Amino acid sequence: MSSLLRNFEDVNLDSKEPLEEPQRQYYFMAKCREWVKRKEKELNRPLTFSVVTFGCQMNAKDSEKLAGILEKIGYVPVEGEEADFVVYNTCTVRENANTRVYGRLGYLNNLKRKNPNMMIALCGCMMQEDAVVDKIRKSYRFVDMIFGTHNIFKLAELIDTRLNSRTMIIDIWKDTKLIVEDLPSERKYRFKAGVNIMYGCNNFCSYCIVPYVRGRERSRNPEDIIKEVEELVADGVVEIMLLGQNVNSYGKNLEEPISFAALLARLEEIEGLKRIRFMTSHPKDLSDELIEVMKNSKKICRHLHLPVQSGSTEVLKKMNRKYTKESYLNLAEKIRTAMPDISLTTDIIVGFPGETEEDFLETLEVVEKVRYDSAYTFLYSKRSGTPAAVMENQVEEAVAKERFDRLLKTVQGIASEMTGRMEGTEEEILVEEINSQDTSLLTGRLSNNNLVHFKGPEELIGKLVKVKLSECKGFYYFGELVKTDKNLIED
């Protein structure tokens, strides 16, 4: 735990607010906490909060930080949106994500009429769009504060500003080079955690809004990452997920550049850390050095998410992906040769503007050659503000849907075969939770990211145990706990 967290109680509210971060935010957390205490006394009950996350793992990690700040202020977490403080951490990758948030805001308005103490904050990628902010300002005037992706660390300061104002607070940064360390975070799991290693994206794929809402790439210093992971391990974490829009380009913009592979090698040395995962990898930046580090690692999980998006070199060019069908296939073969047991997963877009039947058949060919363990398949959806949205030769919806169905059938057939190749073997899993469908079972995850359901005591959650993969059910396994001296591989 950082000294800032240990000394949180010592913040002097009579002093002038600090200018340096993160000291400035701890000042406002302490200030807001005093307000929460007064409000709780007035209402004779605790104040509650709920952070609702839309979108990717980067958003989920941001939500942990938002929750951490709110808990430091004194709010108590609750399920659902009937709370005194509700945060919507939004996604804007697809247009329908925006529509979904607008729909939920109507529900929040009804809740706020019933609870005059309620505050509503909107943040995340969707808030980086001028048109969205303008619409909320005009049509959803009951919202208390709006901020974006670059300044979530300012939540306490924004709350303080709102408490001293009768107007909606809007604080949107178009970009930043600032990375604020040592902020509180409330993890979903005690035994595994996400760790941001970089923010933003420089790739500008023609269908993607992310570079416009997340900003340019900026990497955290390796020392800060290592320090965070060491603290997590000391707190009981055995598995970390390194997060970035393109982890393979990590470290290029640092004063002392370091490769992603070199960072992984340093993290491997941390005693007590058992598993390392990461996402997402851009094929154009995946190096031979990274393959070699993964091959020789005892901790990096045997799973690599490698988005292909399309199997057609012509379509990839229009997507601005900066690799070809041939180079992708060569890369996949190189990875498979180095690590025959690796699980490869991918993203595929069907119906991109100008995609012909021949282009689509090339995508099917890539799927059949690479043989993915699973694939996230998407029908192309126009995203306003991206080059692809105004391209000619938009594919008819019925044509795209028919291709999507063919792709899905091919992907699922291969994925079922690939998953089943481990049936009958004994493997190590990290036990994650009680099975949501059958509470008599526990659910764990293999190194290759496949799920295993098995009978065992709840005390195994968070532990690495060995199971026999008794039966493959297409995309997951039923297993049996292997009897060892302690029934545990790691304590």
Side-chain angles (χ1 to χ4, degrees):
M1 183 178 292
S2 74
S3 58
L4 284 166
L5 292 182
R6 283 196 298 268
N7 298 329
F8 185 60
E9 301 290 339
D10 301 328
V11 173
N12 182 7
L13 294 178
D14 293 326
S15 63
K16 188 175 180 180
E17 59 194 47
L19 297 178
E20 296 295 319
E21 302 290 5
Q23 291 87 348
R24 180 177 177 84
Q25 297 314 312
Y26 279 92
Y27 173 88
F28 283 107
M29 284 181 228
K31 193 174 179 184
C32 289
R33 186 177 56 179
E34 292 303 308
W35 176 85
V36 167
K37 287 179 180 177
R38 293 194 300 270
K39 199 68 177 176
E40 287 179 336
K41 188 174 182 180
E42 174 189 327
L43 299 174
N44 196 31
R45 64 172 177 82
L47 293 186
T48 60
F49 81 89
S50 175
V51 178
V52 181
T53 307
F54 302 83
C56 67
Q57 287 177 299
M58 297 286 284
N59 273 21
K61 178 61 180 176
D62 286 346
S63 289
E64 289 183 352
K65 296 175 184 176
L66 294 167
I69 292 170
L70 288 169
E71 288 203 22
K72 279 293 172 186
I73 288 172
Y75 282 93
V76 177
V78 293
E79 295 293 329
E81 289 142 282
E82 294 189 12
D84 296 300
F85 197 107
V86 175
V87 184
Y88 276 1
N89 188 4
T90 63
C91 172
T92 191
V93 170
R94 290 172 179 78
E95 297 278 10
N96 61 5
N98 291 22
T99 303
R100 185 182 174 197
V101 170
Y102 290 135
R104 296 299 296 171
L105 282 175
Y107 172 64
L108 287 190
N109 191 21
N110 291 330
L111 292 179
K112 189 165 185 176
R113 288 195 184 104
K114 298 175 185 177
N115 180 7
N117 297 293
M118 184 179 186
M119 284 198 285
I120 299 169
L122 304 179
C123 66
C125 297
M126 184 176 164
M127 299 305 118
Q128 293 292 146
E129 298 183 77
D130 293 339
V132 168
V133 174
D134 191 52
K135 181 173 181 176
I136 293 170
R137 182 193 290 116
K138 293 176 180 177
S139 303
Y140 301 90
R141 300 176 67 180
F142 56 88
V143 171
D144 294 279
M145 61 192 76
I146 302 171
F147 53 106
T149 60
H150 305 304
N151 58 340
I152 64 164
F153 66 89
K154 283 186 65 178
L155 177 59
E157 184 174 351
L158 295 174
I159 292 173
D160 180 71
T161 304
R162 179 65 183 88
L163 292 175
N164 291 287
S165 170
R166 294 181 179 273
T167 62
M168 179 189 296
I169 305 301
I170 301 174
D171 190 14
I172 306 295
W173 297 5
K174 292 303 180 184
D175 205 349
T176 184
K177 294 182 179 179
L178 181 64
I179 296 176
V180 179
E181 302 285 352
D182 289 319
L183 288 172
S185 180
E186 185 59 33
R187 301 196 312 272
K188 181 179 178 180
Y189 297 97
R190 58 181 173 78
F191 52 86
K192 67 175 186 175
V195 176
N196 292 113
I197 65 169
M198 60 188 302
Y199 303 89
C201 182
N202 289 351
N203 289 313
F204 290 94
C205 300
S206 63
Y207 53 82
C208 186
I209 197 74
V210 167
Y212 306 97
V213 297
R214 286 277 179 184
R216 303 294 79 76
E217 287 180 359
R218 56 197 194 281
S219 298
R220 294 177 65 194
N221 288 319
E223 290 76 17
D224 291 327
I225 297 169
I226 291 165
K227 175 174 172 284
E228 179 179 350
V229 174
E230 288 175 339
E231 290 178 349
L232 288 169
V233 170
D235 196 37
V237 168
V238 296
E239 177 182 294
I240 58 167
M241 168 75 82
L242 305 177
L243 298 172
Q245 302 298 149
N246 175 18
V247 293
N248 293 339
S249 63
Y250 168 79
K252 293 181 179 179
N253 65 334
L254 293 172
E255 288 187 13
E256 297 182 15
I258 176 176
S259 69
F260 179 52
L263 175 67
L264 286 172
R266 290 185 64 179
L267 291 172
E268 176 111 11
E269 297 173 0
I270 296 177
E271 187 175 349
L273 179 62
K274 305 299 182 183
R275 283 184 170 185
I276 302 171
R277 298 187 185 275
F278 57 84
M279 69 183 314
T280 295
S281 285
H282 197 299
K284 74 179 178 63
D285 296 312
L286 200 148
S287 66
D288 291 345
E289 181 192 14
L290 176 57
I291 294 173
E292 190 67 17
V293 167
M294 291 183 68
K295 173 185 175 182
N296 296 323
S297 172
K298 302 297 184 184
K299 297 183 179 181
I300 300 173
C301 290
R302 284 300 200 250
H303 170 230
L304 182 61
H305 190 67
L306 195 64
V308 64
Q309 306 299 2
S310 174
S312 163
T313 295
E314 186 63 29
V315 173
L316 288 170
K317 184 177 180 181
K318 292 176 182 176
M319 289 179 167
N320 195 35
R321 292 291 288 173
K322 297 184 175 66
Y323 55 84
T324 65
K325 171 188 176 182
E326 290 71 23
S327 66
Y328 183 94
L329 287 173
N330 289 337
L331 177 61
E333 183 179 5
K334 187 183 296 184
I335 294 166
R336 289 263 192 226
T337 300
M339 296 168 282
D341 59 338
I342 198 163
S343 166
L344 288 178
T345 58
T346 197
D347 297 334
I348 303 172
I349 296 172
V350 177
F352 188 80
E355 180 190 72
T356 65
E357 177 65 14
E358 289 72 24
D359 292 325
F360 174 71
L361 290 176
E362 290 198 77
T363 297
L364 284 183
E365 183 185 349
V366 168
V367 170
E368 290 164 350
K369 286 186 175 181
V370 177
R371 297 184 64 77
Y372 299 105
D373 283 63
S374 69
Y376 296 94
T377 52
F378 307 93
L379 279 168
Y380 170 72
S381 173
K382 279 187 180 181
R383 188 62 193 83
S384 300
T386 64
V390 295
M391 286 182 177
E392 297 179 353
N393 300 318
Q394 298 282 329
V395 177
E396 292 182 11
E397 184 177 347
V399 173
K401 182 65 169 62
E402 189 275 334
R403 290 175 185 167
F404 180 87
D405 291 342
R406 275 191 282 160
L407 173 67
L408 195 60
K409 183 178 180 180
T410 302
V411 164
Q412 289 179 341
I414 293 172
S416 180
E417 293 175 15
M418 295 300 289
T419 301
R421 69 191 186 274
M422 298 175 70
E423 188 174 85
T425 64
E426 295 183 359
E427 305 292 338
E428 186 179 88
I429 65 169
L430 175 60
V431 186
E432 295 188 344
E433 59 193 357
I434 296 173
N435 186 279
S436 59
Q437 304 298 317
D438 182 350
T439 55
S440 71
L441 299 175
L442 299 178
T443 294
R445 197 175 297 271
L446 292 160
S447 174
N448 70 4
N449 211 41
N450 285 332
L451 292 176
V452 182
H453 310 303
F454 70 103
K455 288 187 179 295
E458 187 176 341
E459 292 74 25
L460 294 183
I461 293 175
K463 307 293 186 180
L464 288 161
V465 305
K466 185 168 282 188
V467 295
K468 181 179 180 180
L469 305 181
S470 306
E471 183 183 7
C472 178
K473 301 296 287 185
F475 303 101
Y476 61 90
Y477 285 96
F478 283 118
E480 300 171 29
L481 186 65
V482 174
K483 301 299 182 183
T484 63
D485 289 342
K486 293 184 177 181
N487 268 357
L488 298 179
I489 301 301
E490 297 291 346
D491 196 354

